[in-house]
Amino acid sequence: MDLSSLTIAAARKALDAKDFSSLELTNAYVQNIAARDKEIHAYLEVWEDSARAEAKAADERIAKGDAKPLTGIPLAIKDNILIKGRVASSASKILENYRASYDATVITKLKEQGAVFLGRTNMDEFAMGSSTENSAFGPTRNPADTSRVPGGSSGGSAAAVSGSMALAALGSDTGGSIRQPASHCGIVGLKTTYGSVSRFGLMPMGSSLDQIGPLTRTVEDARILFDAIRGNDTYDSTSLPDYPLKEKGKVVGVPRAFMKEGVDDGVKSVFEKTLEALVKGGYEVRDVDMPNLPYALPVYYIICPAEVSTNLARYDGIRYGLSSPADTIHEVYTKTRGIGFGPEVRRRILIGTFVLSSGYADAYYRKARDVRNLIRADFERAFDSVDAIALPTAPGPAFKIGEKTNDPLAMYLEDIFSVTPNLAGVPAISVPAGSVERDDKELPVGFQLVGPMRGEGTLFTIAKDIEKSR
Ligand code: GLN
């Protein structure tokens, strides 16, 4: 069994043909995790016993001829997605021992299909970050070069897949946290249309931006996992009605004016080569004017912290996880939060509280909300004339561990191309497109495609063409 090239689609065929059992497949992953994860640290916890039991149950189901697309498929789950009875910590000290009391809707769906859960993966604390260095439990290393970050915040999920320690994984994406680590680890990552996948049981970061989505080795696998987890859910008030996947035409727009500065030369050349391959494949590539994109990053770093500051108010030392004893209730709150939250989380709560405070909300939060609407309108206008928009996923390849930890603005700039789809609610995919060489190592580089609302079908088609052209 060659785990380094195995896909969900291939494993499905092999399982159904009884070439190997889910138990054998699961054991292979558990062994690989034991061999590699001391160095990589993709997982915060591995559930080998329950994974084996789930695999055995899947094998029985396969024997009965009752297999679904994900029956017996070993997956890794980001640590901010609830699984009943399991610790879910969001890689935070404040939730280190918190156990989920119910299943997230995506987990219910995967359980119904008989998927195997290998463990929970490392992440930036509460999904705030772009490198997985903000985990309270130590960073994850990039399997392509272990002196570098895997990206973030779903860096554990991305490293688990690229390091052959899971067949696929779930992550969450608020401003790039699936796509950017997918790009840095050389795999596919999909940020789904806002409302297409239920957020019920996902720990909220920025509720108007968050989506759960797949990290996989191929575009086909991303589609399989997306199909398994999507669907209308009455437990999520922002859930969309179910929709069929449609493919549209072959016109790709490039907002050139937005890409003039700050992009690594190697990343630029991978981007241009990919556009050339698209043209050779019969696509039309056209410049699009999206004048408000330069405001996306500052708008994101107002709206996201604003929502973070409200969402994280629930961690008060009473309702969930850590509680630090003190003489007054107010002291319990402040002590628990002071001990439980790391520096980036505190920074965002401070920024968020400030931009929402009376006297400043008009100047910051409401202004940002208005500009967000302009960004949305930019996308709507662009999609009148093109079927998808192309951007780099991140401005550079994976950076060194520690390189940006003391410079929050440099870290935020990592998200310049990934935050806009979340602000607009539209879907976006990162697909491996090439690599750049650094210190004698080939570092993967992703290519990002953004689609209109409910436009995943188009993204899959174009991304597959990019996969084929390589
Ligand atoms: N890197 C971005 C941030 O720090 C995005 C995080 C995410 O998508 N969860 O906010």
Side-chain angles (χ1 to χ4, degrees):
M1 216 183 285
D2 177 13
L3 295 185
S4 65
S5 62
L6 193 64
T7 62
I8 299 179
R12 173 80 276 127
K13 279 198 194 122
L15 287 169
D16 292 344
K18 316 276 186 331
D19 292 343
F20 49 73
S21 67
S22 171
L23 185 60
E24 287 167 324
L25 183 63
T26 301
N27 279 331
Y29 280 108
V30 169
Q31 274 165 20
N32 222 21
I33 294 168
R36 287 203 80 183
D37 206 37
K38 272 206 180 60
E39 187 185 9
I40 304 293
H41 194 223
Y43 285 93
L44 291 174
E45 190 183 358
V46 180
W47 305 313
E48 34 178 296
D49 293 337
S50 59
R52 288 199 181 99
E54 286 157 5
K56 278 187 204 157
D59 283 330
E60 281 166 28
R61 196 163 159 180
I62 295 165
K64 276 193 246 154
D66 177 30
K68 295 276 181 299
L70 292 171
T71 309
I73 299 293
L75 302 174
I77 307 295
K78 190 175 181 178
D79 193 33
N80 59 353
I81 299 172
L82 304 190
I83 303 180
K84 190 175 177 180
R86 290 279 175 213
V87 169
S89 78
S90 255
S92 178
K93 279 217 172 74
I94 213 164
L95 293 177
E96 188 168 3
N97 300 309
Y98 167 72
R99 273 180 201 278
S101 54
Y102 63 94
D103 280 329
T105 296
V106 292
I107 297 297
T108 306
K109 286 175 181 283
L110 293 175
K111 281 185 175 173
E112 278 165 8
Q113 290 216 7
V116 172
F117 301 108
L118 289 168
R120 56 188 174 94
T121 53
N122 200 15
M123 54 185 281
D124 288 298
E125 184 177 7
F126 286 106
M128 297 172 209
S130 312
S131 67
T132 315
E133 293 166 294
N134 293 337
S135 166
F137 308 113
T140 297
R141 292 173 183 275
N142 191 325
D145 175 351
T146 52
S147 70
R148 292 178 186 271
V149 303
S153 64
S154 312
S157 286
V161 176
S162 75
S164 306
M165 294 185 282
L167 196 36
L170 287 187
S172 66
D173 193 312
T174 302
S177 277
I178 290 176
R179 289 158 286 147
Q180 183 257 19
S183 175
H184 288 350
C185 289
I187 60 171
V188 175
L190 173 71
K191 195 296 262 186
T192 62
T193 300
Y194 186 77
S196 65
V197 175
S198 171
R199 289 183 294 113
F200 182 69
L202 168 69
M203 290 183 199
M205 176 186 173
S207 306
S208 75
L209 306 155
D210 300 337
Q211 276 290 286
I212 296 172
L215 292 113
T216 56
R217 201 161 267 149
T218 61
V219 176
E220 183 183 22
D221 280 4
R223 180 169 187 155
I224 294 170
L225 199 43
F226 175 57
D227 277 337
I229 59 174
R230 72 197 182 103
N232 181 256
D233 183 13
T234 47
Y235 290 141
D236 175 353
S237 62
T238 58
S239 178
L240 287 176
D242 292 345
Y243 56 88
L245 293 190
K246 284 192 219 130
E247 291 173 30
K248 288 238 330 240
K250 298 195 111 183
V251 186
V252 175
V254 183
R256 291 254 172 226
F258 180 48
M259 296 177 36
K260 270 206 216 106
E261 283 155 55
V263 187
D264 174 273
D265 284 342
V267 169
K268 225 185 260 168
S269 120
V270 169
F271 183 77
E272 295 302 338
K273 279 194 191 128
T274 309
L275 289 179
E276 282 165 26
L278 283 174
V279 171
K280 266 198 208 127
Y283 284 86
E284 184 195 332
V285 173
R286 205 187 272 176
D287 207 341
V288 280
D289 185 27
M290 301 180 74
N292 294 294
L293 291 192
Y295 306 114
L297 196 67
V299 163
Y300 174 84
Y301 276 100
I302 291 172
I303 288 179
C304 175
E307 295 189 15
V308 160
S309 73
T310 354
N311 274 328
L312 270 61
R314 76 191 67 197
Y315 305 110
D316 56 4
I318 307 292
R319 283 177 286 188
Y320 303 91
L322 186 77
S323 183
S324 187
D327 292 337
T328 67
I329 185 82
H330 192 257
E331 267 181 81
V332 172
Y333 298 158
T334 50
K335 267 180 82 179
T336 305
R337 289 164 69 84
I339 298 167
F341 288 142
E344 180 60 25
V345 172
R346 276 181 278 172
R347 179 180 297 125
R348 300 232 187 165
I349 292 172
L350 284 174
I351 297 172
T353 308
F354 176 75
V355 299
L356 287 172
S357 58
S358 76
Y360 291 102
D362 279 330
Y364 295 104
Y365 179 71
R366 291 197 188 95
K367 184 79 153 268
R369 204 187 46 192
D370 292 345
V371 180
R372 180 183 190 173
N373 285 332
L374 297 177
I375 292 167
R376 240 183 226 138
D378 271 5
F379 274 102
E380 274 165 27
R381 208 176 328 105
F383 287 128
D384 283 341
S385 62
V386 300
D387 304 304
I389 290 160
L391 283 168
T393 309
F399 45 92
K400 292 267 187 193
I401 291 179
E403 193 179 320
K404 299 189 182 182
T405 32
N406 294 325
D407 187 352
L409 284 184
M411 191 71 93
Y412 294 173
L413 271 170
E414 181 70 10
D415 307 329
I416 185 146
F417 299 125
S418 59
V419 297
T420 47
N422 302 73
L423 289 169
V426 295
I429 195 167
S430 177
V431 58
S435 60
V436 300
E437 201 192 294
R438 289 290 145 84
D439 316 327
D440 295 329
K441 297 222 162 88
E442 289 298 324
L443 303 178
V445 173
F447 181 91
Q448 181 175 215
L449 287 159
V450 187
M453 290 298 277
R454 304 174 185 77
E456 283 87 353
T458 308
L459 298 186
F460 290 139
T461 311
I462 307 176
K464 268 189 194 164
D465 286 337
I466 293 171
E467 243 175 8
K468 266 188 261 158
S469 76
R470 293 190 64 205

